[in-house]
Amino acid sequence: MTTPQLTLYNTLTRTKETFVPIDVGNVCMYACGPTVYDFAHIGNGRMAIVFDLLFRLLRQVYGTDHVTYVRNITDVDDKINARAARDFPGLPLNDAIRRVTEGTAAQYQSDVTALGCLEPTIQPRATDNIAEMQALIGLLIRRGHAYVTNGEVLFAVSSMSDYGKLSGRNLEDNLAGARIAVEAHKRNPADFVLWKQSSDDQSGWDSPWGRGRPGWHIECSAMSGRYLGQLFDIHGGGLDLIFPHHENEIAQSRCAHGTPAMANVWMHNSFLQVKGQKMSKSLGNFFTIAQLLETKDFGGRQWPGDVLRLAMLMTHYREPIDFTVKRLEEAETKLRDWQRAAQGATLADGDGPDASVVSELADDLGFHRANIALDVIAKKANREGNEVAKHCLAATLRFLGFGLDTLLVSEGETAEPPHLAAAIAERLDACNAKDFAKADAIRAQLAEQGITLMDYKDETGARQTRWEIRR
Ligand code: AMP
Ligand code: ZN
């Protein structure tokens, strides 16, 4: 396969650009990871999935061993302190914090693995990079970009002539925004914290500026610099991170190193929304990934990770998605159709994806177009004896992060398990008699054996049931 040319939308220039790696032997990307104080919701999951797709694409284009993906773990945060004090009141603070952050980080990893995301190459923790943060802050002070006041170290935004380029805000906008409280100790109201003092009941580290802890933005400047260098290829995250987080990362990194850029391409995924509003912890309109996988809280049923993954990818990453049951059902129908068409293919390790799918993704991650190409291959694969298409479909699904081990065996493709007809008939009787508790119990019992039931109405309007078995 010839190497496709990648084009990516760059928030910094507001255009789609041809992607030219700094070093084709080691393409570097960084994405802002979770703050580990609570379960991740499926909106956070969208971000992990989008950048996982990019990671997979880069590996395909430049070679598996020629891409470094860093996604950090923010394990210093005031919300973490509060959670530690609440959940582990008897423990010394540092131990309590470790318990919260380790448990949450492990949960995050298992959640995004269920969503088909590969592990990034490196997942640094903020608490393992405090010395790097302090070194950066020291450089910023020495170069006249930061100052110590009131026990804090602040970044002086007016020391950077082009501060605000990423978000398109200028300092006057920030002032006019007035949401930044006027704090007398700041030279400019938009100056932000690099280091702040900690009280005894807060996590803290010794520093030239007293016992304290880092501000949020300095973490990512320190960790990206340490693992990817002063200038790297791609930096990503959700739209909400453009300002202030990414703007401030750029200010810190560029001013500390005296460089014209921090990353060449800045990519931002749009939001997962609920009834037109961003899914977020603070609005309380969220479903955690674990909740969707394991409970029936959304739409009265559990949702497999691969279905959630496709539901997040079917819309282009720069468009908002509304989170609805209908969307998940559409994703499930489509995915199961593809998986069924690919069934029986045996893959070798090196079998690669379809070229047309890769070239759609190479155009700013156009999964919504790749999706159509997949339908075409699936149609071919469904034709009797078209082993080439079947094999290509299986390899492409694997490349996209959809497991083939969850392929379904549906009615007509295998002998029906002996007890199934009787159980389905009993459940239908229960439904017709409005004994839904019994009907649900039978469905749950079958689900434990990997059998999924789907009700539909036949041409006479009578309720019928189809079934599928997960292999
Ligand atoms: P947070 O834990 O809120 O800092 O979010 C972690 C990552 O998920 C960041 O890159 C956010 O931009 C992203 N994110 C948060 N909420 C959403 C959402 N509703 N839709 C898409 N991405 C989100
Ligand atoms: Zn960050």
Side-chain angles (χ1 to χ4, degrees), residues 30-33 72 216-217 220 235 241 245-246 249:
Y30 184 96
C32 297
N72 68 293
W216 172 33
H217 316 304
C220 289
H235 193 313
L241 299 188
H245 186 54
H246 288 169
E249 278 187 38

Side-chain angles (χ1 to χ4, degrees), residues 346-364:
T346 324
L347 292 179
D349 279 353
D351 293 340
D354 173 66
S356 63
V357 167
V358 174
S359 83
E360 296 296 9
L361 295 180
D363 181 1
D364 197 28

Side-chain angles (χ1 to χ4, degrees), residues 432-447:
N432 293 333
K434 301 218 173 334
D435 184 354
F436 295 114
K438 180 172 176 191
D440 283 349
I442 295 172
R443 183 200 279 277
Q445 222 171 12
L446 293 174

Side-chain angles (χ1 to χ4, degrees), residues 42 45-46 48-49 52 56 109-117 288-295 301-314 323 327-328 331-332 335-336 339 400-406 470:
I42 185 67
R46 182 179 188 191
I49 291 167
D52 176 71
R56 287 170 184 269
Q109 195 47 52
S110 101
D111 286 349
V112 297
T113 300
L115 298 178
C117 297
T288 67
I289 299 166
Q291 196 180 10
L292 293 164
L293 294 170
E294 287 157 24
T295 75
R301 52 164 290 193
Q302 290 168 275
W303 296 97
D306 54 0
V307 171
L308 295 169
R309 180 177 179 86
L310 182 58
M312 293 301 112
L313 289 176
M314 282 190 325
F323 192 61
R327 160 171 283 265
L328 298 188
E332 182 162 53
L335 183 61
R336 299 308 176 222
Q339 289 178 325
L400 292 168
F402 298 110
L404 296 169
D405 51 346
T406 55
R470 182 158 300 185

Side-chain angles (χ1 to χ4, degrees), residues 2-59:
T2 52
T3 307
Q5 182 65 65
L6 250 70
T7 52
L8 299 172
Y9 182 85
N10 188 353
T11 308
L12 195 59
T13 56
R14 291 167 181 74
T15 48
K16 237 159 80 169
E17 297 171 351
T18 301
F19 176 64
V20 184
I22 297 165
D23 172 7
V24 284
N26 184 22
V27 180
C28 291
M29 62 181 274
Y30 184 96
C32 297
T35 304
V36 284
Y37 70 97
D38 206 351
F39 286 89
H41 59 66
I42 185 67
N44 304 137
R46 182 179 188 191
M47 179 257 154
I49 291 167
V50 164
F51 289 97
D52 176 71
L53 184 66
L54 177 63
F55 181 40
R56 287 170 184 269
L57 175 67
L58 293 172
R59 284 159 46 113

Side-chain angles (χ1 to χ4, degrees), residues 65-387:
D65 299 329
H66 300 289
V67 184
T68 303
Y69 174 21
V70 177
R71 187 181 62 208
N72 68 293
I73 294 172
T74 297
D75 58 354
V76 193
D77 187 274
D78 292 351
K79 289 184 223 98
I80 296 175
N81 289 339
R83 184 57 63 109
R86 190 195 78 183
D87 291 356
F88 302 100
L91 285 185
L93 183 68
N94 281 348
D95 295 348
I97 287 174
R98 260 267 180 251
R99 292 277 280 274
V100 170
T101 58
E102 277 178 356
T104 315
Q107 176 71 45
Y108 182 80
Q109 195 47 52
S110 101
D111 286 349
V112 297
T113 300
L115 298 178
C117 297
L118 299 171
E119 261 194 57
T121 324
I122 307 168
Q123 295 192 74
R125 289 167 154 273
T127 50
D128 291 333
N129 289 276
I130 300 290
E132 283 73 14
M133 296 178 212
Q134 293 187 352
L136 267 189
I137 296 169
L139 267 179
L140 287 169
I141 294 173
R142 280 203 295 285
R143 288 175 171 260
H145 292 289
Y147 57 99
V148 183
T149 174
N150 219 15
E152 287 183 343
V153 186
L154 297 179
F155 184 92
V157 288
S158 51
S159 72
M160 184 185 189
S161 58
D162 57 351
Y163 178 81
K165 223 165 109 190
L166 181 73
S167 60
R169 292 173 183 234
N170 55 37
L171 287 174
E172 287 74 45
D173 289 345
N174 289 338
L175 282 174
R179 274 200 295 169
I180 304 163
V182 178
E183 290 159 279
H185 65 293
K186 290 186 174 181
R187 290 183 194 164
N188 183 310
D191 289 353
F192 58 88
V193 163
L194 300 172
W195 189 263
K196 54 190 162 191
Q197 273 184 342
S198 293
S199 56
D200 289 346
D201 58 350
Q202 287 172 321
S203 55
W205 291 263
D206 290 332
S207 83
W209 321 286
R211 184 178 174 276
R213 61 200 190 285
W216 172 33
H217 316 304
I218 197 72
E219 293 178 18
C220 289
S221 284
M223 289 185 267
S224 61
R226 173 170 178 183
Y227 295 102
L228 302 177
Q230 294 181 5
L231 174 68
F232 55 94
D233 295 298
I234 302 172
H235 193 313
L239 270 184
D240 51 341
L241 299 188
I242 295 176
F243 187 87
H245 186 54
H246 288 169
E247 196 71 82
N248 292 348
E249 278 187 38
I250 292 174
Q252 297 161 158
S253 295
R254 284 186 46 203
C255 291
H257 304 307
T259 47
M262 174 186 182
N264 283 334
V265 185
W266 288 79
M267 294 177 66
H268 295 96
N269 64 275
S270 183
F271 295 136
L272 181 66
Q273 303 181 333
V274 182
K275 299 194 177 94
Q277 276 187 309
K278 179 193 168 195
M279 180 181 283
S280 76
K281 292 253 166 71
S282 55
L283 288 174
N285 60 352
F286 64 92
F287 289 89
T288 67
I289 299 166
Q291 196 180 10
L292 293 164
L293 294 170
E294 287 157 24
T295 75
K296 294 184 181 177
D297 292 352
F298 188 67
R301 52 164 290 193
Q302 290 168 275
W303 296 97
D306 54 0
V307 171
L308 295 169
R309 180 177 179 86
L310 182 58
M312 293 301 112
L313 289 176
M314 282 190 325
T315 299
H316 190 234
Y317 76 97
R318 288 194 283 121
E319 298 292 330
I321 298 179
D322 254 312
F323 192 61
T324 60
V325 170
K326 185 158 165 277
R327 160 171 283 265
L328 298 188
E329 284 172 349
E330 277 167 16
E332 182 162 53
T333 304
K334 191 175 264 296
L335 183 61
R336 299 308 176 222
D337 282 351
W338 291 342
Q339 289 178 325
R340 233 175 260 118
Q343 209 162 20
T346 324
L347 292 179
D349 279 353
D351 293 340
D354 173 66
S356 63
V357 167
V358 174
S359 83
E360 296 296 9
L361 295 180
D363 181 1
D364 197 28
L365 293 184
F367 190 94
H368 52 308
R369 292 183 307 265
N371 183 355
I372 298 166
L374 276 163
D375 280 342
V376 173
I377 308 166
K379 213 164 174 185
K380 273 194 213 152
N382 278 329
R383 276 191 219 126
E384 197 84 39
N386 196 333
E387 291 302 318

